[in-house]
Each structure stands twice: as structure tokens, then as C-alpha cells.
């Protein structure tokens, strides 16, 4: 599993979404009133019910802008391959462990913790959009090939660094599966877009795991939002996050 951890998050993110949304239709000043007063007029008996009513309405109307107010910062560790995919998301700010300044000579080529194995490395067949097909040859031989190649790559990296080559040059020999630590800051709208696009069944395995990690953080900190998101996927699909 991709190791995803929360570094920081806006306090009361769901209250903030609702306050910002209510601001648009409120004749008073939102900062002057407590939350129950701000939610007056929204359907529901309790503040929690009113919050759920409003969040659902926002999502079904495609009023996604209000989800841009809460922010979160995550830390995760993924392969350089997955890094190339996640950093395509332009509304996210990233910091990535440097292969120029950090010494990767301690990378353990036999450990999935340091170098990601291909998803199909121990499978006899693979399912693709075109159907299912066999991967030829014994699984054991393929695993050995991958292990030996990774070991050789790290060994070569170490030889070059030991010989005095700059790390930023020697890194060219490290496999694309080599993992790096990343911090990423995003608003909740961008996070939902990532969950929607990268958590899809046909997304690549590692980025799916990363999207699942982002989803877990949101489920913990924005349970109402995520419950409504999960329950209304079909209707939300018609109100695409990025129409
Ligand atoms: C299955 C799959 C296959 C892919 N294959 C490739 C590939 O082969 N090669 C490749 O290079 N990439 C590939 N990508 C990456 C893809 O092209 C996007 O760069 C990446 O998914 C980011 O998506 P996004 O643009 O929706 O997201 P974000 O950058 O997160 O943007 C979110 C939304 O904001 C809006 N937006 C952001 N910037 C602009 C802008 N400049 N103009 C207008 N609207 C904007 C859009 O509505 C966008 O959907 C693939 C992605 C997937 C899911």
C-alpha cells in the first residue's frame, strides 16, 4: 500500500465549505454569526442534517468552487513513475525528495519499500482493456530477472557515486520504480478530482492506491462530504468536477 499521511488540514473543513456557500445567499455577515445561525433556512432538524442537505445540494448542482476553500497537505512515498503521474495535477503544490542532494546509495533493491515492483511481476496473466492474455515464462524466472536488474542498477549507481560522479548524474541509472518522498498541498476540490480520476478501476495500480490514501484522509476529516460523494456518484458524474 502507498504510505499516505496527513501533515496539515484546515480546521472544520465541512463547516468552512458550508459557511462559504451560505455567504452567497446570506444577508448578514458570516463571521459575525455562529454556525447554527448561518445554517438557518437550510432543510433539516439538526445542524448536522442541515450540513448534509447543503453539501448534497452543492454537489448535485456542480457548485464545486466552495470545496476549494479547505486545504490539506499530505506526505506520501511513491515510485518516480507514480510521481510523474500525480505531478500532472496542476492545482496541487509539490515538494519532491531531491536525487541531486539526497544520497540513494542505501536504497534496498530487494525491498518494495524502496523500489516498487511492477504490478504484474508475479502474475501468470494480465487483464487489459483489450482482454486477458498470458504473460509468458515461469513467474519465478521473471521475479529473478526483476530483482537482479534492480540490484544491478543500484550497484551501478553506487559505483558511479563512489567514483566521484555527481548524484544528479548517477541517478539516471536508478530504476523508474525507485521511491521518493513527496509533500503535496491541495484544496478539497482538487483532491476529489484526483480521487475521481486516479481512483478509477482502470487507473494504474500504484496511483489507485495513492488515490485511496487521499480518500481515507477525506473520509476521516470530511465524513459527511464523503458519504454524500459515495452515495451519489451517478448523479455527481453528470456534474463533472471539471466540466
Ligand atoms: C488513463 C489516463 C491516461 C493518461 N495518459 C497520458 C499520456 O499518455 N500522456 C500524458 O502526457 N498524460 C497522460 N495522462 C495525464 C492526463 O493527460 C492529465 O495530464 C492528468 O490526468 C491531469 O488531469 P487534469 O488535466 O484533469 O487535471 P488537473 O491538472 O488536476 O486539472 C483539473 C481540471 O482543471 C481544469 N484545468 C486545469 N488546467 C487547465 C488548463 N490549462 N486549461 C483548461 N482547463 C484546465 C481541467 O478541467 C482539469 O480537468 C493520462 C491520464 C489518465 C487518467
Amino acid at each position: 500500500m502507498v504510505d499516505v499521511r496527513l501533515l496539515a488540514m484546515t480546521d472544520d473543513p465541512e463547516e468552512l465549505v458550508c459557511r462559504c456557500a451560505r455567504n452567497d445567499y446570506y444577508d448578514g455577515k458570516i463571521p459575525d454569526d455562529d454556525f447554527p445561525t448561518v445554517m438557518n433556512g437550510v432543510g433539516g432538524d439538526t445542524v448536522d442534517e442541515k450540513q448534509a442537505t447543503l453539501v448534497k445540494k452543492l454537489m448535485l448542482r456542480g457548485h464545486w468552487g466552495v470545496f476549494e476553500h479547505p486545504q490539506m497537505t499530505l506526505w506520501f512515498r511513491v515510485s518516480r513513475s507514480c510521481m510523474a503521474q500525480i505531478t500532472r495535477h496542476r492545482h496541487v503544490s509539490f515538494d519532491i525528495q531531491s536525487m541531486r542532494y539526497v544520497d540513494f546509495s542505501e536504497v534496498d533493491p530487494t525491498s518494495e519499500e524502496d523500489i516498487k515492483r511492477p504490478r504484474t511481476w508475479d502474475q501468470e496473466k494480465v487483464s487489459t482493456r483489450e482482454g486477458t492474455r498470458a504473460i509468458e515464462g515461469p513467474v519465478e524466472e521473471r521475479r529473478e530477472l526483476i530483482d537482479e536488474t534492480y540490484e544491478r542498477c543500484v550497484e551501478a549507481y553506487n559505483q558511479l557515486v563512489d567514483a566521484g560522479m555527481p548524484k544528479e548524474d548517477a541517478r539516471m541509472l536508478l530504476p523508474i520504480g525507485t521511491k521518493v518522498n513527496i509533500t503535496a498541498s491541495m484544496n478539497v476540490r482538487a483532491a476529489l478530482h484526483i480521487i475521481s480520476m486516479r481512483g478509477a478501476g482502470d487507473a494504474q495500480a500504484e496511483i489507485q492506491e495513492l488515490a485511496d490514501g487521499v480518500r481515507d484522509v477525506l473520509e476521516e476529516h470530511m465524513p459527511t462530504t464523503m458519504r454524500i460523494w459515495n452515495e451519489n456518484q451517478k448523479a455527481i458524474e453528470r456534474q463533472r468536477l471539471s466540466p
Side-chain angles (χ1 to χ4, degrees), residues 85 88-91 129 193-194 197-198 202-203 242-243:
Q85 296 174 320
R88 295 300 299 278
H89 291 283
R90 291 160 283 184
H91 304 292
R129 282 186 188 143
H193 180 66
I194 288 170
M197 183 173 247
R198 305 300 191 168
D202 60 351
S242 337

Side-chain angles (χ1 to χ4, degrees), residues 16-18 20-21 24 58-59 61-71 187-190 192 239-243:
L16 183 64
V17 166
C18 290
C20 293
D24 301 359
L58 294 167
M59 283 191 179
R61 279 185 179 171
H63 191 160
W64 297 107
V66 289
F67 293 91
E68 291 172 18
H69 297 293
Q71 299 278 329
N187 63 49
V188 169
R189 181 183 188 173
L192 290 172
Q239 294 293 359
R240 294 296 302 176
L241 286 167
S242 337

